[in-house]
Amino acid sequence: MATTADYNKQDAKSMLETARDVKPSKILSGNSFIFCGKLCTTHAELSKIVFKHGGLTFPGGCAKYVVSSIPEFQKASYSVVSAVNAGSEFVVNEMFLYKAIVDQKFPKVKDYSFINTEKEDKEKEKEKEKKEKEEKKRKEEEKKKDFVVEAIPIGDSIYSGGGGESDDEEDDASVLPECKYGEGCYRKNAEHFKQFSHPWLVG
């Protein structure tokens, strides 16, 4: 069965030759690799190439990338299975490594992965939709807060003629900046009325 990791061996050899000539860089910095199966060159040379560009290699165990040959993956060899079970994140073909070095940027993993990423993509899409719904709900709840009518004690109202405020306080209210929303203002909370005047509401 074909996978996204199928590739032309001759193309891989050509890409390897190009990668060999690339000057030292840090493109692989922070990334680790394990090599499995017969690749276009020895695992020892591949390790030197990875080191040249800032990466690390391990003979076994866990690494971020498992670089495997097609036969090695298809027969589910011990080296591949043990690396995946140890927590390695991706199983890719060698073209992934060569292209990252030649282009000086990592290509999309799914284009070089042996593992079908369709399920992973769907799960990521569901997670994205879930987060978008949560964000929409949060914004709606915040918007509702602007419409909450807070109880304003009659004595404290800036529009009340009754004795909760002194003449000085009433004078302060009269010089408040006028609400920028004008008669279209929908704010109902007390704090808003303390900050802005609404002369059209005064009888």
Side-chain angles (χ1 to χ4, degrees):
M1 179 176 14
T3 73
T4 55
D6 287 340
Y7 65 101
N8 183 290
K9 199 75 172 180
Q10 194 58 45
D11 289 343
K13 289 180 179 179
S14 177
M15 186 69 79
L16 170 61
E17 289 298 326
T18 305
R20 281 172 172 153
D21 295 332
V22 176
K23 293 181 180 179
S25 71
K26 296 295 182 182
I27 185 61
L28 304 182
S29 180
N31 294 281
S32 54
F33 300 82
I34 291 175
F35 304 113
C36 300
K38 187 176 181 181
L39 303 170
C40 288
T41 187
T42 65
H43 293 186
E45 184 187 3
L46 288 174
S47 293
K48 290 180 180 179
I49 292 174
V50 169
F51 294 152
K52 178 181 174 182
H53 295 281
L56 298 172
T57 63
F58 302 111
C62 175
K64 185 170 185 178
Y65 298 100
V66 178
V67 181
S68 174
S69 66
I70 293 176
E72 197 77 1
F73 176 81
Q74 289 178 334
K75 70 180 183 181
S77 71
Y78 173 78
S79 57
V80 172
V81 173
S82 60
V84 172
N85 289 340
S88 297
E89 295 182 45
F90 307 105
V91 182
V92 296
N93 68 35
E94 56 192 307
M95 284 287 282
F96 174 83
L97 175 61
Y98 306 150
K99 191 163 180 63
I101 294 171
V102 172
D103 294 346
Q104 286 294 288
K105 66 177 182 180
F106 277 83
K108 292 181 179 179
V109 173
K110 67 179 182 179
D111 294 337
Y112 300 87
S113 174
F114 284 100
I115 299 174
N116 187 352
T117 58
E118 183 178 353
K119 183 178 179 180
E120 294 176 1
D121 290 341
K122 287 182 178 179
E123 289 177 351
K124 288 180 180 179
E125 188 64 29
K126 286 182 179 179
E127 185 65 25
K128 181 180 177 182
E129 291 177 358
K130 181 181 178 181
K131 288 182 179 180
E132 288 176 349
K133 288 180 180 179
E134 290 175 350
E135 181 64 16
K136 184 178 179 181
K137 183 179 179 181
R138 183 185 67 78
K139 288 182 178 179
E140 289 176 349
E141 290 176 350
E142 287 183 354
K143 190 175 181 181
K144 287 178 181 178
K145 291 179 181 179
D146 289 336
F147 292 91
V148 174
V149 179
E150 297 182 9
I152 306 176
I154 294 177
D156 293 337
S157 172
I158 62 173
Y159 302 114
S160 171
E165 297 180 340
S166 66
D167 291 338
D168 289 339
E169 288 175 329
E170 290 179 0
D171 288 340
D172 290 340
S174 66
V175 296
L176 289 174
E178 188 173 308
C179 176
K180 66 179 180 180
Y181 298 109
E183 295 185 17
C185 177
Y186 59 82
R187 302 291 294 273
K188 302 297 181 183
N189 60 70
E191 192 63 32
H192 178 68
F193 283 101
K194 289 179 182 179
Q195 295 175 350
F196 303 97
S197 66
H198 299 71
W200 53 88
L201 298 178
V202 180

